[in-house]
Amino acid sequence: MIPLALAAATILHADALAGFTFVEPWYFTFVAAASVALYARMGVYRSVIRFMGARVVIAIVQSVSVVTIGLVLLRWLLPSSALPVTVLVLFWVGTIFATVGIRFVSRTYLQSQHRPGERVAIYGAGGAGARLASALIGGQEFLPVAFIDDSTALHGSVINGVEVFPPDELPSMISELGITRVLLALPSISRRRRKKIIQKLEATHVHIQTMPNFSDLISGNARVDEIREVDVADLLGRDTVPPNEELLQTCTRGKVIMVTGAGGSIGSELCRQMVRQGPATLLLYEVSEVSLYSVEKELRELIDRESLGNIEIVPLLGSVCDKERAGKAMRSYGVHTVYHAAAYKHVPMVERNMMEGIRNNVFGTLNAALAAEESGVKSFVLVSTDKAVCPTNVMGATKRFAEMVLQGLQDRGAATCFCMVRFGNVLESSGSVVPLFREQIRCGGPVTVTHPEIIRYFMTIPEAAQLVIQAGAMSGGGDVFVLDMGDPVKIEDLARRMIRLMGLTVLSEENPDGDIEIKYTGLRPAEKLYEELLIGKNVMGTHHPMIMRAQEKRLPWSELRVLLRALEEALTGFQCARAREILMKTVEEYMPAAELIDLVWARQQSVNSPEKVARITTLSTQRKG
């Protein structure tokens, strides 16, 4: 192509000036050899043509410019065989067009030969959408065939060879263009706005997915073309309130922090949030070796990736039931604040293992709190749950008991500032319905819902962790903080929307040709149809719009100490009925919704007299009456 470009430049010059300039043969050899050498040097031949971008064009322009300058030098050194200036200019232009053009033609051909099987529309024709289209066009999995955008100024324009259409035309375009998927390229809009868009798209019955948000792109956790399922938080449509940086840093920046249960869903997110606030030392206290290894590895990578400075990460294996171990750790490192997230939280599991649930949730909290007090810890924050309000299960009753223990310790005059933060379910946590539903849909169903009327409050894990940290900074001692969870969500509706967002339909009597069946399995032992966040209505606001302070009944430490001693004796003697009686006496709102079903205790009773089982069942019935 390069010698032909020089010949074409000579001919064009002759036509323009009505005179032919003879070009010495060695000029052709020079331009070919010099151009090939420079192209090789500039990496032109190393580029993959199917993914060729602007860098290759720049390299070609630079190389041809150097060759043209070489011709100018030869023209000056050999005036007898000099090339006219017009020939040089035409050669420069022609060579660039020839070598760049052949590559673009080849790229177009190769991409047409590797046409992907799935045609998609991109919702959002801004910068993010354009980058997403560029990334997908060079691949084999998706082919962008249309942009969708709300801006009327963009309608009819073409971006990367793809036309922009208004949202109203999407239903007709799906059948006309064979669109099977809509990709959301709206990483910076509010959740409320995203929810409205998703609601419109649900009616199209195509698979709706999204590109990562800007924070993941900037941090390197995701690529532009890394397509994901729609975040279920977008279905809630609630915009998070920006955190109060002063509150976030009060108990964290430059401090020594301990997180118990650091490998769990909430505990690990607390750790992620805290390392971004610059603590001096972060102690990860966890009973599970696997979970401890995972969270330590993740945090160290996060610190390196985001250049968060010199933060000491200390992984500690240990149980909160071991007071001596916890206390030694706190004293050795001079812990300032403890975030107590260690607990057994799975309702049916704790119901079937009642004695261990009491040991871990009640006495684990007591031991950790006493260790903190004896070690001079300034602040102790308990991560609680909405299931502690009017509990019908052992898990909720033990968490309410744990709250009362901290309140009792505070009232008796503890130097440590004890408080607790109560909230509902968090999305994507271990045991949450969201990952369960997603996996069931991928496997073809059925999606299991316990009851058609069951509702729950939901919050994202990062938002919950940030609010826990901020609430802890506002405590004056003994406070029960309640997070604003927004509107409750009907679980059946959540399941239906997740099915529709994946481009599928619900199998039912009205729609026998549907894809995924929703199966009702019945409420699990001690499970409630809905959860409350408050005992009574006595609640006050704080200077944070998402955090409230509850005023609830508490027991004096003198009475709690007697109940704790009796409960400990019941645990030692494995007296399940007695332990449950003490839970019901301490937590007056506790109304068991199921018979006593501790698996080990029940096994023992099966070979002994059934009178004990009848006694506790009768007691439960009387309390309900």
Side-chain angles (χ1 to χ4, degrees), residues 441 495-506 516 518:
I441 294 170
R496 291 180 181 276
R497 297 196 68 187
M498 290 183 67
I499 291 170
R500 290 196 295 268
L501 286 173
M502 296 184 76
L504 304 171
T505 57
V506 177
I516 304 293
I518 294 179

Side-chain angles (χ1 to χ4, degrees), residues 46-359:
R46 293 195 303 272
S47 66
V48 179
I49 290 178
R50 192 156 55 93
F51 304 108
M52 186 183 72
R55 288 187 178 183
V56 176
V57 177
I58 294 172
I60 290 173
V61 171
Q62 291 173 338
S63 301
V64 175
S65 298
V66 172
V67 172
T68 305
I69 292 172
L71 287 175
V72 172
L73 292 175
L74 288 175
R75 178 178 180 273
W76 178 69
L77 292 173
L78 303 171
S80 59
S81 58
L83 290 173
V85 174
T86 307
V87 173
L88 296 176
V89 173
L90 292 173
F91 167 76
W92 182 81
V93 174
T95 303
I96 291 173
F97 271 95
T99 52
V100 171
I102 193 65
R103 280 164 172 75
F104 271 103
V105 169
S106 301
R107 190 184 73 166
T108 302
Y109 172 76
L110 289 170
Q111 290 178 351
S112 67
Q113 294 300 108
H114 295 81
R115 185 167 297 278
E118 197 158 2
R119 301 164 72 84
V120 302
I122 298 176
Y123 201 114
R131 289 194 297 273
L132 177 61
S134 297
L136 297 180
I137 286 172
Q140 301 182 31
E141 189 174 0
F142 301 114
L143 176 65
V145 295
F147 276 109
I148 308 296
D149 202 280
D150 297 318
S151 174
T152 56
L154 293 174
H155 297 164
S157 59
V158 177
I159 300 173
N160 284 335
V162 181
E163 188 174 352
V164 182
F165 297 90
D168 295 341
E169 295 186 21
L170 181 59
S172 59
M173 290 163 50
I174 288 175
S175 57
E176 293 174 7
L177 300 178
I179 295 171
T180 58
R181 204 176 291 232
V182 176
L183 308 180
L184 302 180
L186 306 165
S188 59
I189 65 170
S190 67
R191 288 199 187 278
R192 195 175 300 277
R193 175 65 183 140
R194 186 184 289 261
K195 179 185 178 182
K196 292 181 179 179
I197 292 174
I198 291 173
Q199 286 176 332
K200 291 181 181 178
L201 295 177
E202 282 185 54
T204 61
H205 298 295
V206 295
H207 196 167
I208 303 169
Q209 291 180 295
T210 183
M211 66 177 290
N213 56 43
F214 275 139
S215 60
D216 288 335
L217 295 173
I218 293 171
S219 64
N221 291 332
R223 303 186 310 273
V224 171
D225 60 341
E226 188 176 315
I227 306 302
R228 301 174 175 178
E229 298 300 332
V230 171
D231 190 346
V232 181
D234 293 330
L235 303 184
L236 305 182
R238 187 168 62 108
D239 292 326
T240 59
V241 175
N244 184 320
E245 292 297 329
E246 183 180 352
L247 290 177
L248 280 179
Q249 296 175 8
T250 298
C251 294
T252 55
R253 183 170 292 279
K255 304 292 196 304
V256 179
I257 311 296
M258 172 187 275
V259 178
T260 69
S265 302
I266 291 295
S268 60
E269 184 60 33
L270 281 170
C271 294
R272 294 184 201 102
Q273 297 290 339
M274 273 183 250
V275 295
R276 293 188 171 98
Q277 302 305 318
T281 304
L282 180 59
L283 277 65
L284 316 176
Y285 198 78
E286 173 60 56
V287 71
S288 168
E289 181 187 22
V290 174
S291 298
L292 183 62
Y293 168 79
S294 298
V295 70
E296 181 203 10
K297 180 174 179 291
E298 180 186 350
L299 291 175
R300 294 191 186 281
E301 292 174 351
L302 176 63
I303 291 170
D304 291 340
R305 183 172 62 249
E306 299 188 10
S307 302
L308 297 176
N310 186 22
I311 301 173
E312 184 181 12
I313 302 295
V314 183
L316 297 174
L317 280 169
S319 168
V320 290
C321 295
D322 188 345
K323 178 187 169 186
E324 293 302 318
R325 169 69 172 166
K328 287 178 181 177
M330 295 176 192
R331 289 188 293 273
S332 298
Y333 287 90
V335 172
H336 178 276
T337 305
V338 173
Y339 292 90
H340 182 56
Y344 290 146
K345 297 182 282 286
H346 195 272
V347 170
M349 195 67 69
V350 176
E351 203 72 18
R352 293 193 294 263
N353 296 273
M354 185 186 79
M355 302 303 271
E356 284 306 305
I358 294 173
R359 190 186 312 278

